[in-house]
Amino acid sequence: MIHRPEPASCARELHRAERTNNGSSARHRLAGIVTDVILGDVSARVGIQPGPFRVVSVLSRHPAEELAPEPDAPAVAVIKSTPWVVERPWKSPTDSSGRNQRE
């Protein structure tokens, strides 16, 4: 649950944050709210809720301490990844040989 006191100002702040690129080559930016921060001995886990879903980043503890994310604070999940996986929740129709009928 997000406990931001002013939803409208929070939305404006997130919109500005999402548009800020700072010279990064990453293009996938999801502005949201920090949901949780868990610091381990070597690594850290930071959850961000950029809408009705949640993304989690696992990073080294030192950078997490430098960023000092706090729950309910605005944050942007910046995703830079060349390999993407696209899945469908259904299977393609196959014939008895197991081949896709659309081939």
Side-chain angles (χ1 to χ4, degrees):
M1 178 59 83
I2 296 172
H3 303 287
R4 297 287 293 184
E6 302 162 359
S9 66
C10 179
R12 284 190 296 275
E13 188 176 351
L14 290 174
H15 181 71
R16 280 192 300 273
E18 187 173 356
R19 299 278 184 230
T20 304
N21 190 335
N22 297 328
S24 173
S25 63
R27 296 291 181 249
H28 311 289
R29 307 172 72 79
L30 305 171
I33 301 292
V34 175
T35 57
D36 61 303
V37 178
I38 300 171
L39 296 175
D41 292 337
V42 176
S43 63
R45 187 179 80 191
V46 178
I48 297 176
Q49 185 174 346
F53 47 88
R54 185 170 168 258
V55 293
V56 177
S57 177
V58 177
L59 61 155
S60 298
R61 181 183 173 118
H62 182 71
E65 289 175 330
E66 286 181 353
L67 288 171
E70 296 180 13
D72 294 337
V76 179
V78 180
I79 303 164
K80 179 175 176 116
S81 178
T82 301
W84 280 73
V85 176
V86 177
E87 294 182 345
R88 299 185 317 181
W90 62 91
K91 293 183 178 181
S92 296
T94 56
D95 62 20
S96 59
S97 69
R99 292 181 41 172
N100 188 326
Q101 291 178 3
R102 296 181 189 152
E103 293 176 348

